[in-house]
């Protein structure tokens, strides 16, 4: 039972031999009687269900099945054993069977060779690997059968030196087979058999100890009170238990040497994993016999396995050992030998392995602080910033155990204190120190998320954080430095966001999950508590740090997570006024873009029409903006009226005020103000202020319109109780959407956006016009009179829609159906063919796109097809009103088209408008275009994983 290095199948009393027949048992020849056929029982001419079928179906209670087999074994053990042998053969997927003649006349090796010849090797599937509902629970039923079999036989049959010898010999031979199905199934059976025997050995050991104590107690009695008969019985019982223990140890030794020692390094990873999983069970269950270096070394060696599932089994097996503190003394040598390997596995390429390695180190840390060095701990600390959340959470728990779990015992005995005098004050400082030392200052949200599950009580102690920032240090206490205060404010903001949103930061999670009722209640309670605290403390914090841009920017984000109703229900209006005053002063002090943007977002968060504080905040915001506009007008007037060149200070004042105004101005208005028209009328000096939006901004503008304008009516007009609002509400919602579209189209009309936006506008207008008929109002007669080139594609498209009637649903851009409410709701379908327009209206297509060389790319997620430039007639041949109304005009042939100037005519004999030809010209690209469309997903730059 020591370190095994041989392969003797049986030793000692477990040697392969036949025991004596018990009373009522028949010899081997009994299996040849008429009651038996091919290993199956015959009863009243009907064949009983085989053990394999019972286990496969899993319909019967396992114990009753085993009890029936035991009764059969007592009646005829050869017949019952033949059934058991065929059970293991069939569980391996072999179609053949062992007959009574083979069982009596052939050795195990010959039987296995015969079964190998009958095995169907064309199929690689066998019960342990088969898929489907009927095989889903086969493995668990198979293992349960073996465990129940040994448990029910532990008091008699397993000691008859026949049943267990036969089964162990068979499984040992099968485990050495070249057939994977035999090797896999028999190894699993042998390991589960070993586990069941270990449990029997443990029970025997306990009974022996109890018997020995009873014997010692009886023998120590005085002679007059000593019961000699009882002593004899206890001696006899102890002797029987010892014999049984020796038998079980021989069986375990045979299995370990014959199966485990060879299969723990099998070529199949699943077989290796089975061995490592079971040896972990043995060491945990019967530590007195197995928890020593002779068995632990197999786990240590296998931690270098090339397959992640095997390494994972090693770590989970060790976790079961380190979890029990009583076993730590026996693990010291193993820990010192394999600690470095465990630490390196925290960076394993398999995330599951890395997580379990960190958890194992946490258990090691819990058992002793001296085992892991500072370098070992630091290699785990930085994993709290990992993009993989399970790894980060495991590292956060390790960090918490190492830095935060050691509290002064006096703290628990003293009454609870609040603020900076609370026990959490030092722990919060420790978090700040760690955050600064990690030098990953832009990842505070990831640190908070990593520690949220284990240290939420500390991270949500906002009262203590406020006290650390506002209150004076206690006597002998060192105050926080400016850098530490900045870090604490950032961490505080992240904890508030985590509590309010209840989901991980961007890049660390697949999306928002549905909260449980308990989590929702915790979320509401946290929002209420944080609002009550910071509604009072935030004005003071802003006043203290008003000149520090970084601190102020973070502090101004806090109201976004408030429960604004508490300002009214909690009678905190005076604190709201203090907050608005502080924001006003901050705007007057700062020109930093981040600070002004934070102020603007704060006003936006507070100006919520659902709450009664709306009017109060809206008035304050309007007063602030009016004052800044008046100040800008005065400064600009003085700036322009000076006789000499203005100095830099004057220019700085003007620009600073302008920055503050633009922070509170609608984006579309800014684009209009700083368009190229700002330099018209002899104001070329203002050319540096001209701004042309980038492609990314154009894309965001268009996506915003698609998300907030082109939606179903029902989506935009639902009341709180799920029912639709009245018609007035629907009209109001429609007007809001129209205003958004008007702002967007106004930008396009002023040529602020490049021609790409014209293409996008045509696409969205084609959708909108089918449901709201806004195209007729948008494409006005005055637009045609302007004769600007930027309107030519829209005029052409508008005319093509007019010619097609109200049922026109074909988009000139890509030939897709525009009946849907959103172009991003589903993939486009290619056009099925051309639609001819009435001949009398075909001339309305005189404004067409001819050039295929001018490629435009839309800012939406799909590339646009190549469009042709618009070719117009000479102005003298075409009146604006005729162009607008689509009046037929005489056409002339043109052999060559100059793409740099307007043409004089088009092909006169075309039956179909050129617009349709242009649409179909891109038809070949439509299929490829739509294949890549997936508007429900977006690319996100994840945080760099440090593991």
């Amino acid at each position: 039972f020591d370190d095994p290095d041989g392969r003797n199948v049986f030793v000692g009393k477990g040697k392969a031999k036949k025991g004596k027949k018990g009373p009522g048992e028949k010899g081997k020849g009994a299996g040849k009687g008429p009651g038996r056929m091919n290993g199956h029982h015959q009863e009243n001419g009907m064949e009983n269900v085989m053990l394999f079928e019972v286990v496969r179906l899993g319909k019967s209670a396992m114990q009753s099945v085993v009890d029936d087999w035991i009764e059969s074994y007592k009646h005829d053990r050869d017949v019952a054993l033949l059934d058991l042998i065929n059970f293991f053969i069939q569980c391996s997927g072999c179609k053949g069977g062992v007959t009574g003649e083979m069982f009596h006349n052939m050795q195990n090796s010959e039987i296995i060779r015969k079964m190998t010849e009958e095995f169907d090797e064309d199929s690689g599937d066998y019960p342990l690997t088969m898929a489907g509902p009927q095989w889903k629970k086969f493995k668990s039923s198979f293992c349960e059968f073996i465990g129940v079999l040994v448990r029910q036989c532990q008091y008699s049959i397993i000691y008859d030196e026949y049943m267990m010898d036969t089964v162990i010999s068979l499984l040992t031979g099968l485990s050495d087979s070249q057939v994977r199905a035999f090797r896999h199934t028999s190894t699993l059976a042998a390991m589960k058999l070993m586990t069941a025997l270990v449990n029997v050995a443990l029970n025997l050991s306990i009974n022996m100890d109890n018997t020995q104590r009873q014997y010692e107690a009886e023998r120590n009695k005085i002679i007059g009170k000593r019961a000699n008969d009882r002593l004899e019985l206890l001696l006899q019982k102890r002797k029987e238990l010892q014999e049984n223990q020796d038998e079980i140890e021989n069986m375990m030794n045979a299995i370990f040497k014959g199966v485990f020692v060879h299969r723990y390094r099998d070529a199949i990873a699943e077989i290796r994993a089975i061995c490592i999983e079971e040896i972990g069970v043995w060491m945990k269950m019967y530590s007195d016999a197995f928890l020593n270096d002779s068995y632990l070394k197999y786990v240590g060696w296998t931690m270098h396995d090339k397959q992640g599932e095997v390494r994972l089994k090693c770590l989970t097996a060790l976790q079961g050992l380190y979890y029990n503190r009583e076993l730590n003394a026996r693990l010291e040598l193993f820990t010192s030998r394999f600690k470095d390997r465990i630490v390196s596995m925290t960076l394993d390429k398999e995330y599951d392995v890395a997580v379990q390695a960190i958890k194992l180190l946490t258990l090691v840390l819990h058992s002793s602080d001296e085992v892991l060095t500072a370098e070992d701990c630091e290699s785990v600390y930085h994993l709290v910033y990992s993009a993989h959340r399970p790894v980060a959470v495991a590292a956060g728990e390790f960090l918490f155990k190492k830095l935060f779990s050691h509290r002064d015992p006096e703290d628990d005995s003293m009454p609870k204190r609040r603020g900076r005098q609370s026990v959490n004050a030092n722990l919060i400082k420790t978090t700040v120190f760690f955050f600064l030392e990690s030098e990953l200052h832009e990842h505070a949200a990831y640190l908070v998320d990593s520690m949220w599950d284990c240290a939420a009580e500390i991270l949500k102690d906002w009262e203590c954080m406020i006290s650390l920032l506002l209150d004076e240090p206690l006597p002998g206490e060192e105050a926080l430095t400016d850098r530490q205060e900045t870090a604490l404010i950032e961490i505080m903001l992240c904890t508030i966001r985590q509590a309010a949103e209840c989901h991980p930061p961007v890049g660390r999670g697949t999306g928002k999950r549905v909260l449980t009722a308990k989590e929702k209640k915790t979320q509401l309670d946290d929002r209420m508590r944080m609002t009550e605290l910071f509604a009072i403390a935030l004005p003071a914090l802003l006043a203290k740090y008003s000149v520090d841009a970084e601190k102020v920017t973070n502090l101004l984000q806090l109201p976004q997570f408030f429960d604004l109703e508490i300002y009214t229900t909690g009678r905190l209006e005076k604190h709201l006024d203090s907050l608005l005053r502080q924001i006003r002063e901050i705007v007057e002090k700062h020109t930093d873009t981040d600070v002004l943007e934070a102020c603007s977002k704060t006003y936006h968060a507070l100006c919520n029409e659902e709450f009664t504080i709306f009017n109060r905040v809206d008035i304050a915001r309007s007063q602030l903006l009016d004052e800044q506009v008046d100040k800008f007008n005065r400064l600009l007037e003085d700036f322009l009226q000076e006789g000499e060149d203005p100095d830099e200070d004057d220019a700085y004042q003007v620009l600073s005020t302008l920055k503050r105004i633009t922070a509170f101005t609608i984006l579309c208005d800014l684009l209009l103000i700083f368009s190229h028209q700002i330099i018209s009328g002899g104001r070329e000096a203002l050319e540096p202020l001209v701004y042309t939006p980038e492609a990314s901004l154009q894309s965001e503008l268009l996506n915003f319109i698609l998300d907030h304008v082109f939606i179903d009516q029902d989506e935009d007009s639902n009341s709180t109780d799920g029912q639709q609002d009245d018609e007035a509400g629907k009209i109001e919602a429609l007007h809001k959407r129209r205003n958004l579209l008007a702002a967007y189209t106004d930008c396009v009309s002023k040529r602020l956006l490049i021609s790409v936006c014209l293409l996008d506008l045509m696409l969205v207008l084609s959708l909108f016009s089918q449901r709201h008929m806004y195209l007729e109002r948008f494409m006005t007669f005055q637009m045609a009179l302007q004769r600007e080139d930027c309107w030519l594609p829209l005029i052409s498209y508008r005319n093509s829609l007019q010619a097609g009637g109200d049922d026109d649903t074909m988009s000139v851009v890509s030939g897709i159906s525009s009946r849907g409410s959103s172009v991003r709701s589903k993939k486009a379908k290619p056009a099925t063919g051309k639609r001819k327009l009435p001949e009398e209206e075909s001339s309305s297509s005189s404004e067409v796109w001819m050039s295929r060389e001018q490629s435009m790319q839309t800012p939406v997620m799909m590339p646009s097809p190549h469009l042709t430039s618009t070719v117009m007639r000479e102005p003298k041949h075409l009146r604006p009103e005729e162009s607008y109304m689509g009046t037929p005009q005489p056409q002339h042939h043109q052999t060559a088209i100059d793409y740099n100037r307007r043409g004089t005519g088009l092909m006169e004999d075309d039956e179909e408008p050129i617009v349709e030809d242009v649409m179909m010209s891109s038809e070949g690209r439509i299929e490829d275009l739509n294949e890549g469309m997936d508007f429900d997903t977006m690319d996100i730059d994840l945080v760099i994983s440090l593991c």
Side-chain angles (χ1 to χ4, degrees):
F1 204 46
D2 296 331
D3 182 18
D5 54 5
R7 189 174 169 77
N8 295 326
V9 178
F10 299 101
V11 292
K13 295 183 180 180
K15 186 176 181 181
K17 60 182 180 181
K18 308 302 179 185
K20 296 181 180 180
K21 298 180 180 64
E25 294 179 349
K26 299 181 180 180
K28 288 188 177 182
K32 301 178 182 179
R36 178 134 199 110
M37 181 180 294
N38 295 329
H40 298 251
H41 291 296
Q42 294 288 330
E43 189 173 302
N44 297 327
M46 299 296 293
E47 183 180 14
N48 287 341
V49 180
M50 296 180 294
L51 291 175
F52 171 73
E53 292 298 329
V54 173
V55 173
R56 181 179 69 85
L57 297 175
K59 294 182 178 179
S60 302
M62 203 62 65
Q63 183 168 337
S64 63
V65 174
V66 172
D67 290 342
D68 291 342
W69 182 88
I70 292 175
E71 290 299 322
S72 174
Y73 183 85
K74 291 178 179 179
H75 178 72
D76 191 330
R77 63 182 187 182
D78 288 343
V79 172
L81 271 179
L82 188 58
D83 280 342
L84 193 59
I85 290 172
N86 279 311
F87 167 73
F88 290 115
I89 296 297
Q90 291 170 327
C91 287
S92 301
C94 181
K95 303 300 182 182
V98 180
T99 64
E101 182 179 358
M102 295 169 59
F103 176 66
H104 292 292
N105 299 326
M106 298 175 64
Q107 297 293 327
N108 279 339
S109 59
E110 296 175 338
I111 294 176
I112 294 173
R113 187 181 305 111
K114 179 67 174 176
M115 293 299 99
T116 302
E117 294 174 356
E118 297 184 11
F119 200 94
D120 183 11
E121 297 186 4
D122 294 337
S123 175
D125 292 335
Y126 49 95
L128 288 180
T129 61
M130 286 182 180
Q134 62 176 337
W135 302 105
K136 186 176 182 180
K137 296 183 179 180
F138 177 81
K139 180 178 179 180
S140 60
S141 298
F142 178 69
C143 298
E144 182 186 359
F145 174 81
I146 296 173
V148 174
L149 177 65
V150 174
R151 186 177 71 241
Q152 296 300 103
C153 297
Q154 64 177 320
Y155 299 111
S156 59
I157 297 179
I158 62 174
Y159 302 112
D160 67 359
E161 299 182 350
Y162 184 53
M163 189 269 282
M164 291 301 296
D165 290 357
T166 304
V167 172
I168 292 174
S169 179
L170 174 69
L171 295 179
T172 302
L174 289 174
S175 68
D176 201 32
S177 173
Q178 296 296 319
V179 179
R180 172 176 175 171
F182 279 146
R183 200 166 69 254
H184 185 187
T185 307
S186 61
T187 300
L188 176 61
M191 293 299 98
K192 291 299 180 180
L193 184 64
M194 177 77 166
T195 301
L197 291 175
V198 169
N199 189 58
V200 173
L202 178 61
N203 292 333
L204 288 172
S205 177
I206 295 173
N207 290 333
M208 286 180 61
D209 292 340
N210 293 335
T211 303
Q212 182 66 28
R213 284 195 298 269
Q214 293 174 7
Y215 176 80
E216 294 293 340
E218 190 67 29
R219 191 182 62 174
N220 292 334
K221 292 180 180 179
I222 60 177
I223 298 176
K225 294 184 178 181
R226 183 186 304 169
N228 294 327
D229 294 342
R230 179 173 172 77
L231 287 175
E232 290 296 330
L233 291 174
L234 291 174
L235 284 174
Q236 182 64 27
K237 182 179 180 180
R238 187 179 65 176
K239 181 180 178 181
E240 293 177 358
L241 290 173
Q242 184 62 53
E243 290 178 353
N244 292 341
Q245 183 81 358
D246 294 340
E247 286 284 346
I248 297 298
E249 288 182 359
N250 286 334
M251 298 175 194
M252 294 190 299
N253 195 23
I255 296 175
F256 193 86
K257 288 183 178 181
V259 181
F260 178 88
V261 171
H262 299 273
R263 298 281 69 82
Y264 91 96
R265 51 186 179 183
D266 193 277
I268 305 302
E270 190 171 357
I271 297 177
R272 301 196 301 272
I274 290 173
C275 295
I276 296 302
E277 182 178 13
E278 293 306 312
I279 196 176
V281 174
W282 308 337
M283 290 186 291
K284 181 180 179 181
M285 181 187 300
Y286 195 5
S287 58
D288 291 340
F290 288 95
L291 189 55
N292 55 61
D293 299 329
S294 298
Y295 296 96
L296 279 168
K297 65 182 181 182
Y298 293 104
V299 180
W301 293 341
T302 313
M303 283 196 295
H304 295 272
D305 196 283
K306 62 181 179 180
Q307 293 296 327
E309 62 176 309
V310 183
R311 300 194 299 273
L312 187 63
K313 293 297 183 182
C314 294
L315 294 172
T316 53
L318 291 173
Q319 287 176 15
L321 302 177
Y322 281 97
Y323 185 80
N324 188 348
R325 281 191 162 187
E326 297 178 357
L327 305 179
N328 290 337
R330 303 182 186 181
L331 294 167
E332 290 181 356
L333 182 60
F334 175 85
T335 304
S336 61
R337 170 66 177 82
F338 293 100
K339 181 197 65 174
D340 293 341
R341 173 56 186 161
I342 299 174
V343 172
S344 66
M345 293 173 76
T346 60
L347 301 177
D348 198 286
K349 64 180 180 179
E350 301 288 343
Y351 284 129
D352 292 341
V353 177
V355 170
Q356 298 305 322
I358 298 172
K359 290 183 177 181
L360 178 58
L361 289 177
T362 304
L363 293 174
V364 173
L365 183 67
H366 188 67
S367 62
S368 176
D369 292 338
E370 301 177 356
V371 175
L372 300 178
T373 64
E375 291 76 12
D376 296 334
C377 296
E378 289 175 1
S379 63
V380 181
Y381 289 162
H382 72 278
L383 295 177
V384 297
Y385 297 104
S386 171
H388 189 72
R389 192 171 192 272
V391 172
V393 170
E397 184 177 357
F398 179 88
L399 177 66
F400 179 78
K401 293 288 185 182
K402 180 64 177 178
L403 299 183
F404 304 136
S405 60
H406 303 289
R407 297 189 179 186
D408 191 347
E410 297 180 358
D411 294 338
D412 298 331
S413 60
M414 297 179 63
K416 291 187 176 181
R417 294 166 295 181
R418 305 175 67 178
R420 68 186 309 141
Q421 298 182 5
S422 68
V423 295
N424 290 336
N426 289 331
L427 302 179
I428 293 174
K429 290 180 181 179
T430 302
T431 306
V432 172
F433 300 156
F434 172 80
F435 176 60
L436 292 175
E437 291 176 0
S438 63
E439 297 182 354
L440 292 171
H441 304 154
E442 68 277 12
H443 290 80
Y446 296 91
L447 173 62
V448 169
D449 180 57
S450 300
M451 300 179 60
W452 193 255
D453 294 342
C454 59
E457 179 184 356
I458 299 173
L459 297 176
K460 290 194 291 187
D461 193 348
W462 298 305
E463 186 176 2
C464 180
M465 296 180 186
I466 293 171
S467 179
L468 288 173
L469 292 171
L470 293 179
D471 297 344
E472 294 295 328
L474 299 174
E477 180 185 6
E478 187 175 354
L480 295 177
T481 64
D482 179 73
R483 187 163 171 259
Q484 292 169 351
E485 289 178 337
T486 301
L488 177 56
I489 291 175
E490 185 174 358
I491 292 174
M492 182 174 66
L493 170 62
C494 294
T495 60
I496 291 175
R497 181 186 294 113
Q498 185 90 1
E501 297 179 350
C502 293
H503 64 78
V506 176
R508 189 184 275 182
T510 56
K512 296 183 179 180
R513 61 183 181 86
V514 178
L515 301 180
T516 62
K518 183 179 179 181
E519 290 173 336
K520 290 180 179 179
K521 184 179 184 304
T522 302
Q523 181 186 32
L524 294 176
D525 293 343
D526 288 341
R527 288 191 65 189
M528 179 180 297
R529 189 165 65 89
M530 77 173 66
T531 305
E532 292 173 347
L533 287 173
F534 286 97
I536 299 173
L538 184 56
L541 290 170
L542 291 174
K544 181 177 180 179
Y545 302 108
S546 60
V547 296
D548 192 311
E550 185 175 1
K551 294 185 179 69
V552 165
T553 301
N554 286 329
L555 289 173
L556 285 171
Q557 297 181 47
L558 299 184
Q560 300 177 25
F561 310 102
F562 284 0
D563 182 359
L564 300 181
E565 189 67 27
I566 295 179
Y567 272 113
T568 303
T569 59
R571 298 183 179 180
L572 302 176
E573 290 88 349
K574 64 177 183 179
H575 299 289
L576 176 62
D577 294 336
S578 299
L579 174 62
L580 296 175
R581 285 196 300 269
Q582 291 300 326
I583 297 176
R584 180 175 180 176
E585 294 178 5
I586 290 172
V587 171
E588 294 174 351
K589 291 180 181 178
H590 289 271
T591 59
D592 185 87
T593 303
D594 292 337
V595 176
L596 296 176
E597 182 180 357
C599 293
S600 179
K601 289 182 177 180
T602 302
Y603 275 121
H604 178 71
L606 295 174
C607 283
N608 192 326
E609 297 180 1
E610 298 179 1
F611 302 102
T612 56
I613 65 172
F614 169 76
N615 291 333
R616 189 187 300 261
V617 180
D618 187 51
I619 292 173
R621 180 178 60 177
S622 300
Q623 290 176 348
L624 171 64
L625 190 57
D626 291 342
E627 291 178 0
Q628 294 298 319
V629 171
D630 293 340
K631 181 179 179 181
F632 175 76
N633 290 333
R634 294 195 306 269
L635 292 173
L636 184 61
E637 184 178 357
D638 296 339
F639 183 85
L640 297 176
Q641 289 181 356
E642 293 184 0
E644 55 186 18
D645 294 336
D647 54 20
E648 295 181 359
D649 292 338
D650 296 334
Y652 175 78
Q653 290 293 331
V654 174
L655 293 177
S656 298
T657 307
L658 183 58
K659 276 187 176 182
R660 298 186 182 102
I661 295 174
T662 56
F664 299 92
T665 307
I666 299 176
L667 177 60
C668 292
D669 293 341
L670 289 177
L671 294 177
L672 291 173
I673 294 172
F674 295 101
S675 66
H676 67 282
Q677 295 180 348
I678 197 174
I679 62 175
S680 61
R683 293 176 291 182
E684 289 77 7
L686 300 179
E687 185 173 0
L689 297 178
V690 175
Y691 175 74
T692 301
E694 300 175 352
S696 60
L697 178 58
Q698 299 175 35
S699 177
E700 292 180 5
L701 287 172
L702 178 61
N703 289 335
F704 181 85
I705 292 298
L706 294 174
D707 290 337
H708 294 82
V709 175
F710 298 98
I711 58 177
D712 289 334
Q713 185 82 2
D714 295 340
E715 296 179 10
D716 198 38
S717 59
N718 287 344
S719 60
T720 56
D721 58 356
Q723 302 296 327
Q724 291 186 350
D725 290 336
D726 54 12
E727 291 300 322
K730 293 180 181 180
I731 295 175
E732 179 65 23
L734 187 62
H735 279 304
K736 290 182 179 180
R737 293 159 59 190
R738 182 188 181 193
N739 292 336
L740 291 174
L741 181 63
Y744 179 76
T745 54
D746 198 20
C747 290
V748 178
S749 67
K750 298 302 182 181
R751 294 188 294 187
L752 292 173
L753 307 181
I754 58 177
S755 58
V756 173
C757 283
L758 291 177
L759 173 62
D760 297 330
L761 184 59
M762 287 177 4
L763 177 61
V764 297
L765 285 178
S766 68
L767 297 172
F768 209 50
S769 63
Q770 306 307 319
R771 304 181 62 182
H772 304 294
M773 304 304 294
Y774 275 10
L775 185 62
E776 186 67 28
R777 305 178 187 178
F778 181 74
M779 300 291 296
T780 60
F781 174 70
Q782 288 77 8
M783 182 191 302
L785 291 178
Q786 292 180 8
R787 308 285 307 164
E788 295 190 19
D789 293 343
C790 66
W791 292 117
L792 298 182
L794 294 180
I795 296 173
S796 173
Y797 177 58
R798 180 260 181 202
N799 291 338
S800 69
L801 289 182
Q802 277 194 333
D806 294 338
D807 61 342
D808 189 349
T809 60
M810 302 303 296
S811 169
V812 73
V813 178
S814 60
I816 64 174
S817 173
S818 60
R819 291 187 186 274
S821 61
S822 173
V823 298
R824 299 195 299 173
S825 62
K826 57 185 178 179
K827 291 188 177 181
K829 297 180 180 180
T832 57
K834 300 181 180 180
R835 179 183 57 79
K836 292 185 178 182
L837 299 179
E839 182 177 357
E840 62 271 16
E841 293 184 351
S842 62
S843 61
S844 65
S845 63
S846 57
E847 299 86 16
V848 296
W849 306 339
M850 298 295 293
S851 172
R852 299 185 180 181
E853 298 177 359
Q854 297 181 1
S855 175
M856 303 179 183
Q857 184 176 0
T858 65
V860 292
M861 294 183 181
M862 64 175 182
S864 65
H866 295 285
L867 299 179
T868 56
S869 62
T870 303
V871 180
M872 296 287 294
R873 292 178 175 82
E874 293 292 340
K876 63 182 180 180
H877 298 305
L878 180 65
R879 297 194 307 272
E881 56 271 21
E882 293 176 343
S883 172
Y884 174 72
M885 297 302 296
T887 304
Q889 297 292 332
Q891 299 180 356
H892 305 280
H893 291 285
Q894 182 175 340
T895 58
I897 298 177
D898 186 356
Y899 295 106
N900 297 322
R901 65 180 180 86
R902 295 179 180 176
T904 58
L906 297 175
M907 298 180 63
E908 190 175 27
D909 298 330
D910 276 346
E911 295 182 0
E912 299 175 339
I914 303 299
V915 170
E916 295 289 351
D917 291 337
V918 172
M919 179 186 71
M920 300 307 295
S921 68
S922 61
E923 185 178 6
R925 302 184 182 91
I926 291 176
E927 183 174 358
D928 295 336
L929 207 74
N930 295 332
E931 287 179 356
M933 292 173 59
D934 188 5
F935 295 114
D936 294 332
T937 61
M938 60 184 297
D939 295 331
I940 301 176
D941 294 331
L942 303 182
V943 62
I944 298 176
S945 174
L946 299 178
C947 60

